[in-house]
């Protein structure tokens, strides 16, 4: 189950773990369970454990009498805690029992193993695909004049499908449009596209033979004030990542950990398939060579950058 479906699907059990990196969907899941707790006793019926001394902090409330007659909630948010095998066994024994009237939520904690997760329901809080996000974006704008479908798609692209960013950009566009329908031109003018994502789109345009679009994207980066040395270094980093992703048998998650990036970045890198591995290695070597010529003083920053881009577009 994904966080977006919580309000529309029946809950399975009373113990859940939230998994994912999108803060909007994490917050959405937490708010869903908080709002299930009714009545004047809400302050004492919700326990949020941000720092654990031991798993007894979790287990004890579940085996004690609650303060109210309705549902009660325990949310565990300590991402740094390391549980012992004995503690995890006690936790498993506890949640195998009927813990009503409690709901128990583990919010992106690291100590749960597969054995505990088998006794819980996963709530995914990861980024959605663009096709899933477009109707959600359209729903946000519907009371305020609406949004063109292409503009909604651009919103997803510019924010790398991260709903927490999308929501903030939606509020900005709603205020700007002032009741008018939001267009793709408004999105291009107001929504800040991540520089690394622009580099990715630039490479995609280059490998796809769309030189005009590649130059338009490059001009946008330069007009935003990005330094040529930064763009060249970012191109090297992206081509190196794309090459490693094409050669490696590792999963997206394993490569994300290896590169120190989010899994979504690896997924995007593996989408570029229209350039051969040998050619890609040649492009990477060429870019590294021009970076070296600039750093060693053989060329100025502008000459090295312009020469590298000209060679890149000619590949």
């Amino acid at each position: 189950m994904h966080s977006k479906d919580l309000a529309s699907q029946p809950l399975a059990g009373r113990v859940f773990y939230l998994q994912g990196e999108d803060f909007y969907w994490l917050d959405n899941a937490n708010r869903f369970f908080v709002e299930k707790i009714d009545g004047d006793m809400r302050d004492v019926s919700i326990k949020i454990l941000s720092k654990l001394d031991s798993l007894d902090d979790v287990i004890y409330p579940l085996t004690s009498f609650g303060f109210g007659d309705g549902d009660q909630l325990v949310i565990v948010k300590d991402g740094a805690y390391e549980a012992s095998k004995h503690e995890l066994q006690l936790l498993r024994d506890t949640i195998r029992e009927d813990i009503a009237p409690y709901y128990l939520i583990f919010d992106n904690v690291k100590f749960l193993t597969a054995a505990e997760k088998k006794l819980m329901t996963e709530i995914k809080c990861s980024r959605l695909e663009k096709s899933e996000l477009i109707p959600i974006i359209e729903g946000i704008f519907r009371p305020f004049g609406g949004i063109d479908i292409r503009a909604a798609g651009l919103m997803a692209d510019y924010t790398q499908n991260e709903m927490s960013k999308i929501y903030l950009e939606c509020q900005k566009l709603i205020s700007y449009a002032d009741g008018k329908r939001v267009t793709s031109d408004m999105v291009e003018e107001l929504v800040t596209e991540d520089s690394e994502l622009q580099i990715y789109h630039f490479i995609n345009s280059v490998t796809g033979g769309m030189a005009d679009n590649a130059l338009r994207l490059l001009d946008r980066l330069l007009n935003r004030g990005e330094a040529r040395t930064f763009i060249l270094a970012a191109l090297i980093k992206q081509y190196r990542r794309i090459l490693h992703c094409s050669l490696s048998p590792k999963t997206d998650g394993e490569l994300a950990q290896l590169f120190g990036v989010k899994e979504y970045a690896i997924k995007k890198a593996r989408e570029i398939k229209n350039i051969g591995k040998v050619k890609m290695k040649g492009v990477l070597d060429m870019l590294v060579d021009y970076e070296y010529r600039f750093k060693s003083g053989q060329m100025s920053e502008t000459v090295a950058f312009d020469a590298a881009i000209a060679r890149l577009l000619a590949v």
Side-chain angles (χ1 to χ4, degrees), residues 199 202-203 206 211 214-219 221-222 228 231-233 235-236 239 283 286-287 290-291 301-315:
I199 294 290
F202 172 79
I203 293 172
V206 170
L215 289 171
R216 182 181 63 83
L217 292 167
L218 186 61
D219 284 342
L221 281 165
L222 292 170
R228 288 172 170 78
I231 298 173
L232 187 56
L235 284 169
I236 291 170
Y239 268 101
V283 170
M286 179 271 293
L287 292 171
Y290 277 109
E291 184 183 50
E301 173 187 343
T302 301
V303 170
F305 178 79
D306 289 349
I309 296 301
R311 289 278 303 276
L312 192 58
L313 293 174
V315 172

Side-chain angles (χ1 to χ4, degrees), residues 201-309:
H201 287 315
F202 172 79
I203 293 172
N204 223 350
S205 294
V206 170
T207 59
M210 297 177 287
D212 289 345
N213 192 54
L215 289 171
R216 182 181 63 83
L217 292 167
L218 186 61
D219 284 342
R220 185 186 295 175
L221 281 165
L222 292 170
N223 291 334
R224 275 177 48 181
E226 299 290 1
R228 288 172 170 78
T229 49
F230 166 80
I231 298 173
L232 187 56
L235 284 169
I236 291 170
K237 182 174 72 172
Q238 286 278 32
Y239 268 101
R240 184 173 286 132
R241 185 184 298 166
I242 294 165
L243 181 60
H244 276 283
C245 288
S246 68
L247 295 172
S248 176
K250 293 181 182 294
T251 66
D252 292 352
E254 290 170 336
L255 282 173
Q257 190 171 16
L258 181 67
F259 281 107
V261 298
K262 292 181 178 177
E263 194 170 323
Y264 184 80
I266 302 300
K267 182 179 178 181
K268 297 299 287 184
R270 279 181 159 158
E271 287 179 1
I272 296 179
K273 300 181 184 296
N274 48 353
I275 178 172
K277 297 178 181 64
V278 174
K279 183 181 287 187
M280 195 184 306
K281 178 64 166 59
V283 170
L284 178 60
D285 290 343
M286 179 271 293
L287 292 171
V288 170
D289 178 57
Y290 277 109
E291 184 183 50
Y292 173 77
R293 293 189 197 189
F294 158 65
K295 288 183 175 180
S296 64
Q298 297 176 39
M299 288 182 171
S300 69
E301 173 187 343
T302 301
V303 170
F305 178 79
D306 289 349
I309 296 301

Side-chain angles (χ1 to χ4, degrees), residues 84-140:
S84 68
K85 291 182 178 179
H86 175 67
E87 285 182 307
L88 291 173
Q89 181 62 59
L90 288 175
L91 178 63
R92 291 195 295 271
D93 291 343
T94 301
I95 61 180
R96 282 192 182 103
E97 304 294 328
D98 181 9
I99 65 167
Y102 284 96
Y103 285 102
L104 175 59
I105 314 299
F106 292 93
D107 184 347
N108 259 350
V109 301
K110 301 292 190 293
F111 58 78
L112 294 177
T113 70
E116 292 79 57
K117 290 179 178 179
K118 282 174 65 176
L119 304 173
M120 307 175 185
T121 299
E122 179 185 12
I123 299 175
K124 296 177 182 177
C125 299
S126 53
R127 302 183 202 199
L128 297 171
E129 296 296 326
K130 179 178 176 179
S131 59
E132 297 174 290
L133 283 170
I134 287 176
I136 294 174
I137 295 169
E138 289 177 320
I140 293 173

